Amino acid sequence: MELIGAEILIRCLQEEGIEHVWGYPGGAVLYIYDALFQQDKVKHILVRHEQAAVHAADAYSRCSEKIGVALVTSGPGLTNAVTGIATAYMDSIPMVIISGQVPSHAIGLDAFQECDAVGITRPCVKHNFLVKDVKDLAATIKKAFYIAKTGRPGPVLVDIPKDITIQKCEFSYPDKVEMRSYKPAVKGHQGQIKKAVHMLLAAERPMIYTGGGVVLANAAAELRKFVDRLGFPCTNTLMGLGAYPASSDKFVGMPGMHGTYEANMAMQHCDVLIGIGARFDDRVIGNPKHFAQNPRKIIHIDVDPSSISKRVKVDVPIVGDVKDVLNDMLTQLDLAEEKPRDISAWWKQVNEWRARDCLKYKLSDEVIKPQAVIEALWRVTNGEAFVTSDVGQHQMWAAQYYRFDQPRRWINSGGLGTMGFGLPAAMGVQMAHPGAQVACITGEGSIQMCIQELSTCKQYHLPVKVLCLNNRYLGMVRQWQQIDYNKRYSESYMDALPDFVKLAEAYGHVGLRVEKPQDVEPAIREAFALKDRAVFLDIVTDQTENVWPMVKAGKGLTEMLLGSEDL
């Protein structure tokens, strides 16, 4: 059967089981939108800005095992989407972005709304394609989905000129993909796995350090068996929270710049460290030279060989899918004749570090402490909500005080640190899980980056709950200016804020302003009781509160500031 290119694209999405596409129409994609209109299997969600389309599709993917899809037009549609694409790329999120392009004959002639989509996105996609022949369209879409979700996942862009969307050819969707130049490793090297297991069993001060790769590989169950089988301390990075339950006594909190004292000290003083689906990035290990001062053996499991020994030299590299490698390690542990060493002395030391209670803060009867808001949210939702965040102090407080016991519940921009991510991400999560409790933790600075998406929430009846920790500052900027710039608060004060309650109401939602500590939990309960309404909570918090602990840029993990008294 002959179909036009636009119809072929939609049929491809149907074949991939795609239920939702996030996008914004424009001239170069109108044939695609016309094809969408003439079917009902793929639902389109109209956002108010292309950045939001990609963030929503990104979060849709993060919180489920589905692939998020975004659709944007040429020129500014594509350039508006780049921030979202880069966000997904930095966090290895599988998704497919379809961009319209000017007709093939006009490419390179500075046509209206033309830009070089392939060139612009090349640094921030796993791969991209320009479709030059309608006969290649179906195979290209198949490759895009395959590349996005295999190996180290990531966003893949398919740029489609307008004339391709109207040309006709026979439709046939490939059953499988065979690419000579792309064969990601899945199974880890058995010799390396055996070596790693023996090293772990011989350890006196072992440490398990896990990242977002565990979540992306759906390996949380295997990680939990692994940690419980060995009885070692475990830390999850910002991207890996929930992969191992925060309620377990083996969990020592998040590591890194705003990690716990016990996690950072254990990372620095262990004798065998196993990194699982984590990349030893600068916000986790601090200064690499300081990190390398203490001798330790390092095992590193990652599906991406380029991530191994990239920042920290490792002793036992294992390239493979985290889920498969952990299963193989569990098998080897069962076969091993030796038993783990007695590490009671190590646990005694870890618990002494934990006794410092580095996340303790002073409550107030007069001003709302942001940490208390997160703890109240955790109580109201029984720790079971999907929590999205923007970027800044509120993001760190959410990571520190909302104790995640399940993977894919914490949705945030880790690598790129994108303000504006939280609200569209909450929309993506709510669409993927219609009956779930979804909370967006944000600040008065971040929320204004994509606040127009309150309109999208209204149109599609997405009852997300926005908790805006409003301290009238760009809080993380202010904190750094206080600590490193001698309190020169350059352009960090937000002195022209809107009335968020009235703004929420103008979009057709419920707005609540909270100014007293005793009103925080009742207001959150009221918000979540409104199951079919989006609610914006404008929570006026302490302007002076900082995120502690903190490892300053360029410092080592043990050079932590535990509070203002350390300044």
Side-chain angles (χ1 to χ4, degrees):
M1 176 174 49
E2 279 202 338
L3 299 175
I4 65 169
E7 293 168 334
I8 289 172
L9 172 61
I10 303 307
R11 284 288 299 274
C12 292
L13 297 179
Q14 293 173 354
E15 291 287 338
E16 289 289 339
I18 301 303
E19 299 172 19
H20 297 98
V21 172
W22 304 79
Y24 202 94
V29 288
L30 285 183
Y31 285 116
I32 297 172
Y33 273 85
D34 193 48
L36 273 168
F37 185 83
Q38 297 181 60
Q39 57 82 59
D40 56 9
K41 289 184 179 179
V42 180
K43 182 179 179 182
H44 181 273
I45 298 94
L46 175 67
V47 296
R48 303 312 189 253
H49 191 285
E50 290 88 352
Q51 178 182 341
V54 185
H55 287 331
D58 170 337
Y60 185 89
S61 182
R62 291 183 198 235
C63 73
S64 67
E65 295 180 37
K66 303 172 184 177
I67 302 295
V69 178
L71 172 60
V72 300
T73 194
S74 63
L78 180 280
T79 56
N80 281 346
V82 168
T83 297
I85 296 169
T87 299
Y89 179 71
M90 289 288 283
D91 290 343
S92 303
I93 305 304
M95 60 181 302
V96 173
I97 303 95
I98 310 294
S99 61
Q101 183 55 276
V102 299
S104 302
H105 64 82
I107 293 176
L109 300 178
D110 294 332
F112 176 67
Q113 291 195 331
E114 179 191 1
C115 69
D116 178 5
V118 169
I120 288 170
T121 61
R122 184 174 286 120
C124 61
V125 292
K126 186 175 178 184
H127 195 63
N128 58 21
F129 298 91
L130 172 63
V131 180
K132 298 179 181 179
D133 189 327
V134 70
K135 296 184 182 69
D136 298 332
L137 180 56
T140 301
I141 297 298
K142 184 72 175 181
K143 288 177 183 178
F145 278 95
Y146 175 69
I147 293 169
K149 63 190 176 185
T150 54
R152 180 178 181 172
V156 176
L157 176 101
V158 181
D159 197 38
I160 309 176
K162 187 171 183 177
D163 57 309
I164 300 295
T165 66
I166 194 60
Q167 292 172 6
K168 286 187 174 183
C169 75
E170 288 288 328
F171 172 68
S172 175
Y173 199 61
D175 293 328
K176 59 181 181 179
V177 174
E178 187 67 30
M179 301 174 68
R180 187 174 64 181
S181 61
Y182 178 69
K183 295 186 181 298
V186 175
K187 301 295 290 184
H189 188 281
Q190 293 302 307
Q192 292 291 84
I193 290 171
K194 288 180 183 178
K195 186 176 179 181
V197 167
H198 290 309
M199 191 177 285
L200 289 167
L201 292 173
E204 296 180 353
R205 302 186 308 281
M207 182 68 177
I208 298 172
Y209 151 59
T210 74
V214 176
V215 177
L216 292 167
N218 296 312
E222 288 75 13
L223 175 65
R224 293 175 191 200
K225 288 179 187 175
F226 184 72
V227 176
D228 294 343
R229 170 82 169 73
L230 289 169
F232 294 172
C234 179
T235 181
N236 296 153
T237 66
L238 180 73
M239 299 308 301
L241 292 176
Y244 189 76
S247 58
S248 171
D249 58 358
K250 298 181 193 69
F251 183 66
V252 295
M254 183 174 69
M257 177 172 281
H258 294 296
T260 66
Y261 183 71
E262 54 268 30
N264 283 349
M265 294 297 282
M267 286 278 286
Q268 189 68 18
H269 294 289
C270 63
D271 65 347
V272 175
L273 175 66
I274 178 168
I276 307 174
R279 57 191 179 90
F280 293 87
D281 74 281
D282 57 302
R283 288 293 172 104
V284 169
I285 67 163
N287 187 324
K289 290 183 179 178
H290 180 277
F291 188 72
Q293 285 176 0
N294 291 23
R296 63 173 81 73
K297 296 294 184 182
I298 299 178
I299 304 159
H300 191 187
I301 305 168
D302 205 290
V303 75
D304 181 3
S306 73
S307 289
I308 293 178
S309 291
K310 187 175 185 177
R311 300 195 73 248
V312 172
K313 188 178 184 301
V314 304
D315 300 280
V316 184
I318 303 173
V319 178
D321 179 82
V322 165
K323 190 182 187 81
D324 284 332
V325 173
L326 281 176
N327 274 319
D328 288 345
M329 294 189 88
L330 286 165
T331 300
Q332 289 297 327
L333 284 169
D334 290 337
L335 295 173
E337 295 180 2
E338 66 263 52
K339 301 298 178 187
R341 286 204 182 191
D342 178 7
I343 59 168
S344 55
W346 174 234
W347 266 115
K348 182 174 183 290
Q349 175 62 79
V350 171
N351 286 326
E352 284 178 8
W353 290 326
R354 181 148 46 189
R356 294 286 296 268
D357 197 9
C358 67
L359 296 182
K360 188 176 181 180
Y361 63 96
K362 293 179 181 178
L363 280 168
S364 168
D365 293 329
E366 298 177 358
V367 294
I368 297 172
K369 293 292 182 176
Q371 303 95 319
V373 177
I374 307 301
E375 291 183 321
L377 175 65
W378 183 83
R379 289 191 298 271
V380 169
T381 59
N382 297 313
E384 297 174 353
F386 289 87
V387 179
T388 74
S389 85
D390 272 296
V391 171
Q393 288 180 314
H394 59 272
Q395 177 191 27
M396 294 299 106
W397 285 317
Q400 290 174 330
Y401 293 94
Y402 198 100
R403 300 187 293 280
F404 293 93
D405 276 351
Q406 299 175 62
R408 297 189 183 271
R409 295 296 177 106
W410 168 234
I411 313 295
N412 81 118
S413 169
L416 195 64
T418 306
M419 293 172 71
F421 178 82
L423 179 56
M427 300 188 316
V429 173
Q430 194 77 77
M431 191 62 76
H433 302 279
Q437 296 177 317
V438 181
C440 168
I441 308 292
T442 187
E444 78 290 338
S446 284
I447 191 63
Q448 293 188 82
M449 294 278 185
C450 281
I451 201 165
Q452 74 283 340
E453 297 310 315
L454 287 173
S455 179
T456 308
C457 292
K458 177 66 174 177
Q459 181 172 347
Y460 296 95
H461 309 290
L462 301 173
V464 302
K465 316 305 179 196
V466 178
L467 282 74
C468 180
L469 305 186
N470 186 349
N471 61 8
R472 290 84 70 207
Y473 271 114
L474 299 177
M476 192 61 85
V477 173
R478 183 205 56 76
Q479 177 169 337
W480 282 53
Q481 287 173 336
Q482 176 188 343
I483 295 169
D484 285 341
Y485 298 88
N486 199 27
K487 299 183 180 180
R488 292 186 294 274
Y489 299 125
S490 175
E491 303 302 322
S492 55
Y493 178 57
M494 304 289 286
D495 61 351
L497 293 174
D499 183 327
F500 287 113
V501 171
K502 289 182 179 178
L503 190 57
E505 290 172 347
Y507 276 107
H509 304 304
V510 176
L512 300 172
R513 186 172 172 88
V514 186
E515 299 179 277
K516 297 178 181 178
Q518 63 268 27
D519 294 336
V520 169
E521 189 162 330
I524 296 174
R525 290 193 182 279
E526 180 182 349
F528 279 94
L530 297 168
K531 296 187 183 300
D532 60 347
R533 298 291 301 276
V535 181
F536 193 112
L537 291 159
D538 182 18
I539 304 172
V540 181
T541 59
D542 186 350
Q543 281 192 290
T544 65
E545 196 70 18
N546 286 333
V547 180
W548 306 113
M550 179 181 180
V551 178
K552 292 174 64 175
K555 296 293 184 180
L557 283 182
T558 59
E559 300 175 301
M560 301 179 71
L561 304 176
L562 296 184
S564 56
E565 63 276 4
D566 290 340
L567 293 175

